[in-house]
Amino acid sequence: MSDKATAVAAWEALFRAQVQVMRNLNAEFPGGEISFNEYDVCFNLSTQPGRRSRMRDLTGHLLLTQPSVSRLVDRLAARGIVEKQPDPADARGVYVALTPHGFDVYRSVAVQHAATIAEQVGAGLTDAELRTLTELCTKLRRTTATPSRRATAPTDAAAV
């Protein structure tokens, strides 16, 4: 178990790095046909079997509220990038599927976006450091998959 001040300092560094990288990626995003958030939906669908996912599962992968995801999916469906399908096992459930056209759009943007990611994330780090970063972030994500029921501590390092 780590020291609280060290954990908070690590969180602050991770958060600040993530904010800066995301700002840069947003600024350089090749958003001709789809926006950054629409790309995130397409990316998540592209990783799922059959390139489809239940709406509630998709929402769990995004940093958007359920109503925002629903509106985003509706906009993508209106443009033929995704389609909504009823869940045969649950009348209330909805699947969202990436259409062949949507996959083509996603793939086209993904190639350009991946080059920008490589420039932003790989610029100041060696391959070994990138592998370590991947391992640490994966470990952190796995160990924090279930939120703690404890009261939230201050996130300001100076308050610790």
Side-chain angles (χ1 to χ4, degrees), residues 34-139:
I34 56 175
S35 71
F36 196 82
N37 283 338
E38 290 170 337
Y39 173 85
D40 200 15
V41 168
C42 294
F43 167 78
N44 279 284
L45 291 173
S46 76
T47 66
Q48 300 303 307
R51 296 185 185 134
R52 70 184 210 139
S53 175
R54 285 185 56 106
M55 180 72 89
R56 71 172 179 225
D57 296 332
L58 178 61
T59 300
H61 290 285
L62 305 171
L63 289 175
L64 298 170
T65 63
Q66 186 275 326
S68 294
V69 173
S70 292
R71 287 190 299 273
L72 189 61
V73 165
D74 287 344
R75 287 194 305 270
L76 288 167
R79 296 186 348 248
I81 293 173
V82 301
E83 63 182 10
K84 293 166 78 173
Q85 304 167 342
D87 181 351
D90 179 1
R92 298 169 298 167
V94 173
Y95 276 94
V96 180
L98 197 56
T99 65
H101 167 67
F103 184 68
D104 289 343
V105 169
Y106 159 74
R107 205 173 40 205
S108 168
V109 172
V111 169
Q112 297 170 59
H113 188 49
T116 305
I117 291 170
E119 289 171 15
Q120 290 295 315
V121 178
L125 301 175
T126 66
D127 285 347
E129 289 170 328
L130 289 170
R131 282 190 292 279
T132 299
L133 179 61
T134 301
E135 291 168 9
L136 291 171
C137 290
T138 300
K139 182 177 181 179

Side-chain angles (χ1 to χ4, degrees), residues 2-37:
S2 64
D3 171 82
K4 185 163 70 169
T6 304
V8 171
W11 160 246
E12 290 289 334
L14 176 62
F15 181 73
R16 300 292 172 223
Q18 188 263 346
V19 167
Q20 187 61 54
V21 169
M22 291 302 289
R23 283 181 179 157
N24 293 348
L25 292 177
N26 263 312
E28 296 185 32
F29 186 73
E33 284 196 69
I34 56 175
S35 71
F36 196 82
N37 283 338

